Amino acid sequence: MDFSFTSDQDELRELTRRLLTDRCTLEHLKDVRESDTGVDLALWREMAELGLVGIGLPESAGGGGLGFAEACIVLEEVGRAVAPVPALAVMAMAGPVLAEYGTAAQLEGLASGERIVSIAVHDLVGDVLEPAATVADGRITGVKVCAPMGHVADAFVVSTTDGLYYVAADADGVTVERQDTVDDLPDAKVTLDGAPGEKLTGPEGLVWMVERGRTGQSVIMAGVSAQALEITSEYVKERVQFDRVIATFQAVAQRAADTRIDSEAIWLTAWQAAMRIDAGLDASEQVSTAKFWAADGGQRVVHAATHLHGGVGVDRDYPLHRYYLWTKHQELFLGGATPNLLRLGQLLADTPA
C-alpha cells in the first residue's frame, strides 16, 4: 500500500498544523480546561470555517467531498496539538456513518460546525461491539457512558442490539449528564428511557463505524506520540547532569530509540488502516493491528517520555502531561490492547489457509 501523500494532502496538513499550533498554546489549553464546557468550541467553528471539519463529508452536506484519508490528516494534527475539540466523534465516526446510512437532515450543520453529533457506544460494562441497549417499537432503553464531549452534542449515534440509531439529545426520554474524567476531556453519560430513535443501520453498521473510530484513534495517537517524542527529544538535548547533556547517556539514548520505534510503528499501522479504508478495501485486520499498537505502544511512548523528563514529567503545567492524559484516554476508549489483540487473533484464525 502506497502511503505517499499528494501535494494537496500535504497542504491540508500544513494548514491544519499551522492553525492548531497557533491556537493550542499551553495557556490557551488551560483556559479551555477551566471553561464551562471544557471544549474549544471557538476553535471547532474556526476549523469548520476553513473546511477542515467537513473535509470528508459529501459536498451535498456542505463538506469537502474528499475521503477518509483527508479526515485522518486533520485528526493526526488534532492529536499532535492535543486540541480539545470533538474531532474523533464527528469526523471519524458520526459524520461518516450519517453520510453512509443517514439522511440529509441528520447531516445538516455538521460540516459548518453549527451542530455536533457525538456517539454513544459504551455500555456500563461489556464489549463495545456487543451493545446492551434494547429497542422496542422504535424506542431505545439503556445507559451509555463515555460519549465523547456528549454534553455539548445536539444528537447521538447510539449502538443497540438492533443496530445504530440517531437520537436527538433533547428528545423525550434522553438524559445527558456530563462526566469529568482525569484526562480533562469531558464525556457524557446518556440515559435512554424509551427514547425515540431513527434507525440508521443494522448491527453490521456498528462494526463499520467502530473500525473507522479505532482507525481515527490510532491516527490521533500517531500525532500524540510523535509530539511527545519531540518534546522529550528537545528536553534531553538541553538538560545537563554531571556536566553533560543527558541525551549523551547511553541509557537515555537507548530508551529514546525504543520510543522512536514505537512511535513509528503506531504511525505506520494507523495509516495502513486509514489508507485501506480510504481505498474501500477490507481493513479489519489492519484496524485491530493499528489499535493494538496505539494502545500498547502509545502508553510505552508516554511512560518513557515521562521517565526521561524526571520530576518535570508529572508537572500538570508542563506540556508533556497533557499528552500522557490523552494517551490513557485513547488507549481504553473503544477497547484497549487486549480485546483488539483477541479480535485480530480471531480474524487470523478464521482466515482460510
Side-chain angles (χ1 to χ4, degrees):
M1 170 100 12
D2 183 7
F3 289 179
S4 303
F5 296 108
T6 66
S7 58
D8 287 344
Q9 290 173 329
D10 286 336
E11 289 178 13
L12 170 63
R13 182 183 298 280
E14 184 179 341
L15 170 66
T16 310
R17 185 174 298 184
R18 188 166 60 244
L19 170 68
L20 296 180
T21 301
D22 287 347
R23 298 294 182 275
C24 296
T25 62
L26 186 58
E27 287 303 315
H28 179 72
L29 292 176
K30 287 172 63 178
D31 290 342
V32 173
R33 185 180 67 198
E34 294 167 3
S35 67
D36 290 340
T37 65
V39 181
D40 197 341
L41 296 174
L43 175 60
W44 185 243
R45 285 191 288 271
E46 192 170 1
M47 291 175 65
E49 289 171 3
L50 290 171
L52 302 178
V53 171
I55 192 80
L57 294 178
E59 291 179 289
S60 59
L66 299 178
F68 190 66
E70 282 76 12
C72 283
I73 288 172
V74 176
L75 290 172
E76 184 177 347
E77 296 307 315
V78 166
R80 186 182 297 273
V82 288
V85 292
L88 176 67
V90 174
M91 297 179 67
M93 301 185 76
V97 84
L98 290 178
E100 184 73 13
Y101 301 108
T103 65
Q106 292 164 351
L107 273 171
E108 189 176 350
L110 215 58
S112 64
E114 297 170 62
R115 295 176 66 247
I116 293 172
V117 179
S118 186
I119 48 110
V121 295
H122 271 288
D123 294 286
L124 292 170
V125 293
D127 191 291
V128 71
L129 293 176
E130 298 174 359
T134 57
V135 183
D137 297 327
R139 293 188 172 271
I140 305 167
T141 300
V143 178
K144 299 290 184 179
V145 294
C146 302
M149 302 183 179
H151 62 301
V152 295
D154 298 282
F156 298 93
V157 174
V158 179
S159 63
T160 74
T161 54
D162 188 44
L164 296 177
Y165 280 74
Y166 177 89
V167 179
D170 59 357
D172 290 341
V174 178
T175 304
V176 180
E177 301 170 72
R178 175 170 168 164
Q179 291 181 306
D180 285 309
T181 59
V182 295
D183 56 18
D184 294 335
L185 292 174
D187 290 331
K189 176 183 177 183
V190 183
T191 302
L192 305 146
D193 184 10
E198 301 170 45
K199 187 169 184 177
L200 297 170
T201 176
E204 71 281 0
L206 174 60
V207 177
W208 189 94
M209 185 178 75
V210 169
E211 285 191 348
R212 278 153 182 77
R214 285 173 172 167
T215 302
Q217 277 188 296
S218 302
V219 172
I220 287 175
M221 268 307 304
V224 170
S225 298
Q227 188 61 23
L229 182 59
E230 190 169 323
I231 293 170
T232 304
S233 174
E234 292 301 317
Y235 179 80
V236 299
K237 286 189 291 187
E238 294 177 359
R239 177 80 165 90
V240 175
Q241 192 65 270
F242 306 116
D243 298 325
R244 293 170 56 187
V245 292
I246 63 174
T248 62
F249 297 153
Q250 190 177 46
V252 171
Q254 289 176 340
R255 189 85 189 271
D258 288 343
T259 304
R260 175 64 182 271
I261 291 170
D262 276 328
S263 181
E264 289 294 313
I266 293 167
W267 189 90
L268 284 169
T269 54
W271 274 103
Q272 184 184 38
M275 288 299 193
R276 285 188 68 89
I277 289 174
D278 186 67
L281 300 173
D282 177 69
S284 299
E285 292 179 13
Q286 289 76 17
V287 169
S288 292
T289 303
K291 183 63 205 295
F292 168 74
W293 270 101
D296 197 59
Q299 59 87 20
R300 278 199 302 273
V301 169
V302 292
H303 274 89
T306 302
H307 188 193
L308 292 174
H309 272 80
V312 177
V314 293
D315 183 346
R316 287 182 63 89
D317 290 330
Y318 187 72
L320 181 67
H321 188 66
R322 195 165 184 84
Y323 290 84
Y324 184 92
L325 298 179
W326 268 56
T327 298
K328 298 306 292 182
H329 184 99
Q330 300 301 335
E331 176 189 353
L332 301 174
F333 186 66
L334 298 181
T338 300
N340 279 281
L341 203 57
L342 291 171
R343 178 169 171 76
L344 177 60
Q346 189 63 55
L347 289 169
L348 294 175
D350 291 343
T351 301

